Amino acid sequence: MIVRAVELRLVGVPLVRPFRTSFGEVNRKECVLVRVETDVAEGWGECVADIEPDFSGEFNGGAWILIRDFLAPALFRAGDVAAAQLGDLFSFVRGNPMAKGALLDAVLDAELKSEGRSLASYLGSERDRVPCGVSVGITPSTEELLAQVDGYLAEGYQRIKLKIAPGVDVERVAAVRAAHPDILLSVDANAAYTLADLDIFKALEDFNLLMIEQPLHYEDMLQHAKLQAQLGTDLCLDESIRSPADAAAAIELGACRIVNIKQGRVGGVLEARRVHDVAREAGVPVWCGGMLETGVGRALNLALASLVGFTLPGDTSASARYFTDDLTEPFVMAPDGTMGVPSRPGIGVEPRLDRLAETTLAVERLQP
Ligand code: OSB
Ligand code: MG
């Protein structure tokens, strides 16, 4: 397959409600969409970086330049390419899995479209529906949190994840657990604590949490291993896992007992499948995380989440949880809390032209 052009497009889509984590609050999703034109088909990818380098060191402006100045030129120089070779082709660039993943996923989408094959089937999917959870941002008050949780449970979500940060943790979790004694409940700290906060984690042990996600520094596996050794509750790593090698290290060190896999964080769906394989080999459950993706990224996430090792409900929520009007046809969750995996060729969705026109902030077309 020959890639004839790469189009970068920055889009901004308002969120239905502000999303607050320990590292900040956003009220709109802004991301770089990648469209590749090849001799056989067109493909789409979505970069999961943020406006600022807050969740990871990558950010939209950096991803844009990296693709424009390094990755796309390498792709053009390579001539006839297949998606499976791109990991090696891009290995001259260190790090930057989010930027690499967006371009790689776009090429894979084009390749699979030309073969008439769905991404889920290519990855080796075992099911056509996946169980959905929802990630609930930090709210101004406990009452507001309880109201949001009630709403999501009424919609059918099978697992509730609460964002926590110092000062908005134990009491919030206690209130939600008291209101809902039997639901699958987890928390995500986005790296906001240190080992000095052991008392807080000990206090959280009373609430039968499914897991505590990324409690400590994003680069500190050793500290996570020390914390996990002192807790009955399973730790899950998100930010700390940027590659299959990170997953192998975390598991062997005992830094977590569950892995959150975000395809966009680890360099695209092919790398994500490798992370899945590492965890599965070690008997470690995984689930599919999210980065508030538009329908393009959501389609990729759902295909990944349909692999056999994804035994826990993911942050694969419905379009309506994020946007009044998604960029693609909306992803809808059934009342039983499951969502269908796209089955059309490639990632199975395309952004609507009218929505692209309304949300585009910048476009650049790259050619050899
Ligand atoms: O840590 O999982 C996270 C959103 C943006 C950045 C980081 C995270 C999240 C979420 C929401 O928790 C996941 C989603 O619904 O897409
Ligand atoms: Mg997380």
Side-chain angles (χ1 to χ4, degrees):
M1 194 171 73
I2 313 279
V3 179
R4 300 203 202 278
V6 174
E7 187 187 77
L8 300 178
R9 178 185 298 265
L10 185 69
V11 292
V13 193
L15 294 172
V16 289
R17 53 166 57 129
F19 187 69
R20 185 168 151 216
T21 64
S22 64
F23 61 83
E25 180 171 299
V26 284
N27 51 29
R28 65 199 240 118
K29 170 70 183 172
E30 237 180 81
C31 65
V32 179
L33 296 181
V34 177
R35 185 174 66 87
V36 297
E37 292 169 24
T38 78
D39 55 335
V40 288
E42 198 180 277
W44 287 90
E46 174 172 340
C47 181
V48 302
D50 291 331
I51 300 172
E52 296 173 24
D54 44 17
F55 174 83
S56 89
E58 293 188 79
F59 61 104
N60 291 341
W64 188 288
I65 292 173
L66 190 88
I67 295 173
R68 184 190 69 197
D69 293 353
F70 298 101
L71 302 180
L75 193 54
F76 296 141
R77 273 196 307 274
D80 194 5
V81 290
Q85 305 162 346
L86 296 189
D88 285 342
L89 183 70
F90 294 159
S91 66
F92 74 100
V93 171
R94 291 195 182 180
N96 294 281
M98 294 178 175
K100 288 175 181 171
L103 185 53
L104 234 143
D105 287 342
V107 172
L108 182 59
D109 180 33
E111 190 171 302
L112 294 174
K113 271 187 192 137
S114 78
E115 293 167 2
R117 184 158 193 204
S118 77
L119 175 60
S121 111
Y122 170 83
L123 291 175
S125 158
E126 305 252 330
R127 52 196 166 158
D128 56 12
R129 303 196 67 77
V130 299
C132 301
V134 61
S135 173
V136 187
I138 297 168
T139 48
S141 69
T142 303
E143 295 68 47
E144 167 75 16
L145 177 62
L146 289 168
Q148 285 191 22
V149 168
D150 284 350
Y152 290 133
L153 289 172
E155 286 178 53
Y157 284 104
Q158 297 189 20
R159 186 229 59 207
I160 298 288
K161 162 171 137 184
L162 307 178
K163 290 292 190 180
I164 57 167
V168 272
D169 42 39
V170 181
E171 273 174 61
R172 297 290 177 98
V173 176
V176 172
R177 183 47 98 197
H180 305 285
D182 300 321
I183 59 168
L184 290 182
L185 184 64
S186 68
V187 294
D188 185 358
N190 287 110
Y193 297 86
T194 71
L195 273 186
D197 298 309
L198 184 63
D199 288 353
I200 293 173
F201 299 114
K202 289 281 185 195
L204 288 174
E205 300 241 64
D206 289 345
F207 306 112
N208 187 26
L209 294 177
L210 183 59
M211 70 191 89
I212 299 174
E213 183 176 341
Q214 196 69 44
L216 310 178
H217 194 280
Y218 61 96
E219 286 178 317
D220 209 330
M221 296 261 194
L222 186 57
Q223 301 274 313
H224 279 101
K226 289 183 178 171
L227 179 59
Q228 181 66 92
Q230 298 175 74
L231 289 183
T233 308
D234 291 342
L235 296 187
C236 168
L237 290 180
D238 174 358
E239 283 93 320
S240 292
I241 308 295
R242 288 156 304 188
S243 64
D246 281 345
I251 291 167
E252 191 156 331
L253 268 171
C256 64
R257 298 190 198 124
I258 298 176
V259 176
N260 166 336
I261 307 184
K262 292 177 178 169
Q263 59 84 24
R265 186 195 69 224
V266 302
V269 276
L270 297 178
E271 281 298 289
R273 184 174 56 181
R274 291 190 185 100
V275 176
H276 161 272
D277 294 348
V278 164
R280 191 162 148 70
E281 185 78 18
V284 168
V286 303
W287 56 279
C288 181
M291 294 290 288
L292 315 178
E293 287 91 342
T294 77
V296 173
R298 196 155 307 282
L300 285 148
N301 292 350
L302 286 162
L304 179 70
S306 69
L307 295 182
V308 68
F310 285 77
T311 52
L312 297 166
D315 283 344
T316 45
S317 312
S319 292
R321 180 260 172 271
Y322 309 93
F323 315 111
T324 337
D325 198 3
D326 206 335
L327 297 186
T328 60
E329 289 305 313
F331 282 94
V332 177
M333 185 181 71
D336 70 351
T338 66
M339 198 139 59
V341 179
S343 58
R344 295 208 298 260
I347 65 171
V349 299
E350 270 181 36
R352 290 153 40 203
L353 292 179
D354 58 329
R355 282 303 282 151
L356 286 181
E358 286 161 1
T359 58
T360 296
L361 304 168
V363 192
E364 188 170 353
R365 194 181 149 83
L366 314 169
Q367 280 180 291

